[in-house]
């Protein structure tokens, strides 16, 4: 059948019109369409969801009936507890009546399910919401168990099914006060703690096997261990199952069987079935000889003496019991082995087996102890499937699984079958899906997925969709693969898994685009738009605020020109340039009354071009720098937004001046070097000392760059941080005559060397009559091994003048 185009294959039986179900899932309205895929849209504005109401007494009675296994044809088997089990029953009822939660631990076949049924009858009126019986078989997460508990206590006020989101689910189950009997528990630890915390008003009776993960210490569960039967109790239990007193040989055999099976009640149920079959074969029961055997039964008409089963046959009795049941019962066992131990509802057995009386085989197998109730269904008892597969019952598993898959594909897609009936058969359907071939698996998944979605059994829905997508990929069915990916995306969107929803929907849209399925592509893009909206809403809700201010602790900023609070160690900017002090600023953070993002106002007096930026470092005329007043130290405070630009400009200017000064000094020094004539005696050189750091005077003592108070410099010109020429005896100042040497270069003919030798003869140099400008300090270094280097002026010398700057030395050259 081509589900995309809606054409029906003539070979496939018609199942009536498509079943379209509309339900409410959280904040969405979900329309389950079996033909074109589910459609999802948000709830309309103003549409209020009706509050679910609690079930009354009649509703709870109907719920309890639906939670039990199906009623089998024939006389019901009577369940009777031993005296030891009666004591444990009274203890459990007493603990649950006081609001205590209990974990009942026992191996498979120890009678946990029968004990839970007896406790449920005694606790009917203990809690306001009654007794809720759930099955934890195959449940590893508490989410589906909470949804099952919610569905057992609440019912939707209208006909539309309702599946609440997680927040509403937790709010509703927190108000439930019931005695919850959870059989076949398969989770523990943190998952079990989450279940218990979500329902604080419930008292739990959790039945688990010893290999189940233990609960945490914070769960505060009472531990009750269910042991085996004693010798006297085993004999009494066996006599009740057989319906007569045991002989001495049978009593001894029962004692040995108790030792071999550790007293498990299941083994004695099976042993009682073996003794009943032996009595029937030996002809000790009256009235059976005249009965005609069934169509598939091959009982011998001539009775023969059958000995007592051996101890090995009593410990593993599945093969012997199966050989003595009817043929239809053996066919049912083969189907159960093909489905992994799951047994279909007895209403399906006549169609699967081909016998109109096959539904009676379930009661026969249950009486033999080969079946056990699990929730609302039956499955093979513990160890039975392994024992039967060893003797060949699992050989036709592939054919039996294919038959079951095709049968369920027809049944789940029929319009007369309600989604609730499909959900009750979920385990058998999933088992048939796992064992069938890819063609039958795709067909079954295609018809069963909408039913699981409409029944709110979403864990089974997801498993069917994933199995169907894999089978469609193997079979090459692109259209079916696109459908399964679309449904997986819708399911993930309903559950809030947005990343998974986007991935599945994008895959579905791509496949439908390849098939030119416009209607399916539009439905996929609508769902993808909802994913985008939810992602945007989630990002806006959880995104952190933008913080442009420096983080608290460890903010470092360059010192602004002027007095600062505390200067850190000087950081060298270049190898030969000046140093720039760094100040450790106080942590800057947003105040309670300020915005998180700091707004820096624009400066109205900002320089317009680069010349204005360097106007202060390069003055056109020499003038003494004013003596700044020493400001008292102040505590470090956060730099205001209006001063940030000033700090950055000052730092950039200082770095640029240092770089330019270094380049000019190297250029002038390399152009003025001359080779001194060879001769005896050392070479005479005059070098410029290093520029002192800011905050120290020329003598190397700490102080400011203001020298107005120096008695040796009454004119107030100061030495500051400019270039200083080494003083010599007999030297005059530059203003006294033409013989004055140029500061910063070697002296002429009048220079007196400190040692012997012939000094270099140079004519005196007359300084030009131009306005003096600032010149960089000239430092001559020689890479050779000689202790000194000679630096001589050129034809047009440049005078050197020291200029005091606030933060660094400004230098320049004149023409």
């Amino acid at each position: 059948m081509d589900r995309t185009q809606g054409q029906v294959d003539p070979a496939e039986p018609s199942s009536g019109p498509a079943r379209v179900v509309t339900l409410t899932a959280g904040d969405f309205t979900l329309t389950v369409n079996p033909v074109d895929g589910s459609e999802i849209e948000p709830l309309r504005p103003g549409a209020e969801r009706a509050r679910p109401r609690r079930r009354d007494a009649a509703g709870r009675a109907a719920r309890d009936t639906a939670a039990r296994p199906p009623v089998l044809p024939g006389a019901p088997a009577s369940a009777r507890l031993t005296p030891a089990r009666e004591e444990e029953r009274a203890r459990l009822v007493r603990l649950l009546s006081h609001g205590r939660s209990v974990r009942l631990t026992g191996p498979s076949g120890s009678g946990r399910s029968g004990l839970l049924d007896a406790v449920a009858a005694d606790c009917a009126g203990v809690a306001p919401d009654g007794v809720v019986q759930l099955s934890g078989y195959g449940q590893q997460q508490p989410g589906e168990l909470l949804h099952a508990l919610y569905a057992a206590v609440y019912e939707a006020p209208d006909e539309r099914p309702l599946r609440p989101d997680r927040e509403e689910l937790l709010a509703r189950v927190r108000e439930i006060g019931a005695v919850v009997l959870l059989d076949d528990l398969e989770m523990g630890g943190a998952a079990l703690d989450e279940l218990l915390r979500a329902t604080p008003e419930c008292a739990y009776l959790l039945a688990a096997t010893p290999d189940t993960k233990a609960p945490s210490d914070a769960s505060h569960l009472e531990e009750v261990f269910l042991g085996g039967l004693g010798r006297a109790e085993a004999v009494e239990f066996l006599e009740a199952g057989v319906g007569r007193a045991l002989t001495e040989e049978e009593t001894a055999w029962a004692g040995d069987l108790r030792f071999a099976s550790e007293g498990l009640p299941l083994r004695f149920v099976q042993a009682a079935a073996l003794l009943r079959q032996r009595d029937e074969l030996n002809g000790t029961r009256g009235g059976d000889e005249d009965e005609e055997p069934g169509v598939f039964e091959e009982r011998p008409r001539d009775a023969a003496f059958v000995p007592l089963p051996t101890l090995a046959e009593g410990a593993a009795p599945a093969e012997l019991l199966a050989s003595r049941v009817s043929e239809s019962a053996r066919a049912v066992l083969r189907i159960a082995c093909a489905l992994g131990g799951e047994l279909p509802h007895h209403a399906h057995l006549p169609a699967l087996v081909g016998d109109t009386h096959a539904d009676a085989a379930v009661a026969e197998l249950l009486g033999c102890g080969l079946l056990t109730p699990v929730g609302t269904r039956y499955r093979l008892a513990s160890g039975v499937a392994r024992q039967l597969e060893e003797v060949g019952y699992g050989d036709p598993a592939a054919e039996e699984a294919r038959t079951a898959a095709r049968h369920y594909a027809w049944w789940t897609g029929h319009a007369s079958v309600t989604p609730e009936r499909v959900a009750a058969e979920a385990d058998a359907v999933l088992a048939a899906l796992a064992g069938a071939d890819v063609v039958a698996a795709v067909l079954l998944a295609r018809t069963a997925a909408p039913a699981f979605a409409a029944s709110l059994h979403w864990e089974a829905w997801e498993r069917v969709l994933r199995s169907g997508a894999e089978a469609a990929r193997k079979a090459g069915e692109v259209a079916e693969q696109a459908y399964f990916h679309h449904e997986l995306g819708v399911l993930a969107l309903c559950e809030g898994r947005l990343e998974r929803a986007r991935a599945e929907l994008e895959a579905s849209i791509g496949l439908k685009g390849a098939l030119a399925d416009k209607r399916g592509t539009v439905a996929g893009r609508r769902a993808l738009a909802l994913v985008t909206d939810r992602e945007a809403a989630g990002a806006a809700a959880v995104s952190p605020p933008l913080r442009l201010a420096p983080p608290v602790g460890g903010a470092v900023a360059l010192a602004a020109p002027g007095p600062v609070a505390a200067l850190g160690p000087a950081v060298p900017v270049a190898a030969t340039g000046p140093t720039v002090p760094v100040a450790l600023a106080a942590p800057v953070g947003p105040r309670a009354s300020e915005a998180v993002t700091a707004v820096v106002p624009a400066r109205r007096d900002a320089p317009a071009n680069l010349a204005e930026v360097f106007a202060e470092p390069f003055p056109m005329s020499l003038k003494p720098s004013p003596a700044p007043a020493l400001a008292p130290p102040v505590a470090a405070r956060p730099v205001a937004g209006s001063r940030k630009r000033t700090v950055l400009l000052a730092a950039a200017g200082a770095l640029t001046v240092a770089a330019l000064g270094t380049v000019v000094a190297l250029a002038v020094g390399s152009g003025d070097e001359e080779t001194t004539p060879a001769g005896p005696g050392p070479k005479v050189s005059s070098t410029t000392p290093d520029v002192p750091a800011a905050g120290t005077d020329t003598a190397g003592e700490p102080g400011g760059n203001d020298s107005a108070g120096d008695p040796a410099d009454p004119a107030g010109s100061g030495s500051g941080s400019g270039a200083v020429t080494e003083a010599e005896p007999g030297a005059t100042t530059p203003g006294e005559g033409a013989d004055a040497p140029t500061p910063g270069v070697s002296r002429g003919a009048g220079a007196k060397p400190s040692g012997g030798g012939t000094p270099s003869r140079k004519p005196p140099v007359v300084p030009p009559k131009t306005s003096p400008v600032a010149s960089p300090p000239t430092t001559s270094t020689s890479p050779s091994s000689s202790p000194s280097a000679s630096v001589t002026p050129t034809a047009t010398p440049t005078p050197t003048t020291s200029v005091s700057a606030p933060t660094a030395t400004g230098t320049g050259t004149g023409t």
Side-chain angles (χ1 to χ4, degrees), residues 69-416:
V71 179
L72 300 176
S78 59
R80 189 178 66 86
L81 299 179
T82 62
R85 294 292 187 263
E86 291 291 345
E87 295 178 0
E88 294 170 349
R89 171 184 179 179
R91 179 187 177 187
L92 294 175
V93 171
R94 182 172 63 255
L95 290 174
L96 294 174
S97 300
H98 288 82
R100 303 295 299 273
S101 294
V102 187
R103 187 175 187 263
L104 181 63
T105 305
S108 298
S110 59
R112 293 176 286 109
S113 299
L115 184 58
L116 259 63
D117 292 338
V119 171
D122 295 340
C123 296
V126 173
D129 290 322
V131 179
V132 179
Q133 289 185 273
L134 301 176
S135 176
Y137 180 77
Q139 304 286 347
Q140 300 291 339
Q141 300 297 330
E144 287 299 319
L145 289 176
L146 291 177
H147 278 287
L149 178 61
Y150 171 86
V153 177
Y154 293 96
E155 61 180 353
D158 51 3
E159 297 299 331
R160 174 178 295 185
L162 173 63
R163 183 180 174 92
D165 55 7
R166 181 169 179 81
E167 294 182 0
E168 184 179 359
L169 174 66
L170 295 178
R172 296 300 179 191
V173 298
R174 185 174 293 274
E175 302 173 357
I176 296 178
V179 176
V180 183
L181 306 181
L182 184 57
D183 198 5
D184 297 315
L185 180 68
E186 294 187 359
M187 63 181 180
L192 183 59
D193 292 343
E194 181 180 352
L195 177 65
L196 298 178
R197 286 195 304 267
T199 55
E201 301 298 329
C202 294
Y204 281 89
L205 177 56
L206 309 172
T209 56
D211 55 350
T212 305
K213 187 177 180 180
S216 63
D217 297 336
S219 59
H220 303 291
L221 291 175
E222 295 284 344
E223 290 286 347
V224 175
F225 185 79
L226 203 60
L229 301 176
R231 182 179 179 85
E233 293 176 343
V235 173
E236 182 182 357
F237 191 85
L238 190 58
E239 290 179 346
V242 177
R244 60 175 178 83
L246 300 180
T247 63
E248 294 183 1
E249 182 183 7
E250 293 173 344
T251 303
W253 179 75
D256 296 339
L257 180 62
R258 173 192 169 274
F259 179 79
S261 62
E262 299 180 353
L264 293 179
L266 178 62
R267 296 291 178 262
F268 288 93
V269 172
Q270 297 170 347
L274 289 175
L275 293 181
R276 289 197 306 269
Q277 291 176 350
R278 175 175 177 266
D279 294 343
E280 183 180 356
L281 293 175
N282 288 335
T284 56
R285 292 181 179 273
D288 292 343
E289 293 79 1
D290 299 334
E291 293 183 359
E292 189 71 18
V295 178
F296 294 96
E297 297 179 1
E298 298 178 357
R299 294 183 302 174
R301 294 180 179 273
D302 298 333
F305 179 77
V306 178
L308 197 66
T310 62
L311 187 61
E313 292 174 342
E319 178 184 358
L320 184 58
L321 288 173
S323 63
R324 296 176 178 178
V325 297
S326 61
E327 180 60 29
S328 58
R330 287 195 290 270
V332 171
L333 289 177
R334 284 191 287 268
I335 293 175
C337 290
L339 299 181
E342 298 293 339
L343 186 67
H345 193 275
H346 60 83
H348 298 279
L349 295 180
L352 294 174
V353 174
D355 182 13
T356 56
H357 300 286
D359 54 348
V362 180
E364 183 181 1
L365 296 175
L366 184 62
C368 294
L370 297 179
L371 298 180
T372 182
V374 178
T376 60
R377 63 193 186 279
Y378 295 100
R379 62 175 287 112
L380 294 180
S382 174
V384 173
R386 177 182 53 81
Q387 299 173 24
L388 293 178
E389 289 174 356
E390 291 178 354
V391 296
Y393 276 81
D395 295 342
E399 184 64 28
E400 296 290 349
R402 185 184 304 110
T403 302
R406 293 184 179 277
H407 168 75
Y408 279 125
W410 169 83
W411 180 72
T412 55
H414 203 279
S416 62

Side-chain angles (χ1 to χ4, degrees), residues 426-439:
D427 293 291
V429 172
L430 293 173
L433 182 64
D437 58 288
V438 292
V439 177

Side-chain angles (χ1 to χ4, degrees), residues 498 534-546:
L498 300 182
R534 287 303 174 99
E535 288 177 345
V542 302
S543 61
L546 180 63

Side-chain angles (χ1 to χ4, degrees), residues 437-721:
D437 58 288
V438 292
V439 177
V442 170
L443 182 61
L444 175 57
R446 192 68 169 79
T447 57
F452 286 136
S455 65
L456 303 180
H457 195 350
W458 282 9
E459 184 177 4
W461 184 25
E462 183 175 4
R463 292 175 61 184
V464 164
L465 291 176
R466 295 195 180 280
S467 300
E470 182 65 18
R473 185 189 64 82
K474 293 180 179 179
E477 297 287 344
V478 181
E480 305 299 336
Q481 190 177 358
Y483 168 81
F484 292 129
H485 282 295
H486 174 81
E487 295 295 295
L488 284 171
V490 171
L491 173 61
L493 177 58
C494 292
E495 294 182 345
R497 297 177 293 168
L498 300 182
E499 294 182 0
R500 170 63 63 179
R502 175 175 290 278
E504 298 290 350
L505 289 174
E506 288 178 351
S508 174
I509 292 172
L511 294 174
K512 290 180 179 180
L515 296 173
D517 185 4
K518 296 183 179 180
R519 184 173 182 179
T521 303
V522 170
R525 292 191 179 279
R526 287 178 179 176
L528 190 59
L530 290 178
V531 174
T532 303
D533 294 344
R534 287 303 174 99
E535 288 177 345
V542 302
S543 61
L546 180 63
R547 294 184 177 273
L548 299 182
V552 176
V556 179
L558 287 176
V564 292
L567 293 179
V571 179
V573 178
T576 58
T579 56
V580 180
V582 175
L584 297 178
V588 179
R591 298 179 181 177
S593 60
E594 295 179 352
V596 175
T597 303
V599 180
V600 180
R603 290 189 57 194
R604 300 185 180 276
D605 56 346
N609 48 34
L610 191 62
E612 296 184 12
V613 173
F614 297 105
E616 283 297 326
F618 295 96
M620 297 305 296
S621 60
L622 291 175
K623 57 181 179 179
S625 59
L630 293 178
V634 294
R637 60 183 182 278
V639 180
S642 61
R643 298 184 57 190
K644 291 183 178 180
R645 191 176 183 88
T646 306
V647 173
L648 295 177
L649 290 176
L655 293 176
T656 307
V657 168
L660 290 177
T662 303
V663 172
V664 173
L666 292 176
V668 172
S670 62
D672 291 342
E673 289 183 356
E674 288 186 1
T675 305
T676 305
K683 300 178 182 180
V684 180
S685 64
S686 175
T687 59
T688 303
D690 296 336
V691 180
T696 60
D697 55 10
T698 57
E701 298 177 357
N705 58 357
D706 185 18
S707 58
D710 190 356
D713 191 5
S717 60
S719 56
S721 59

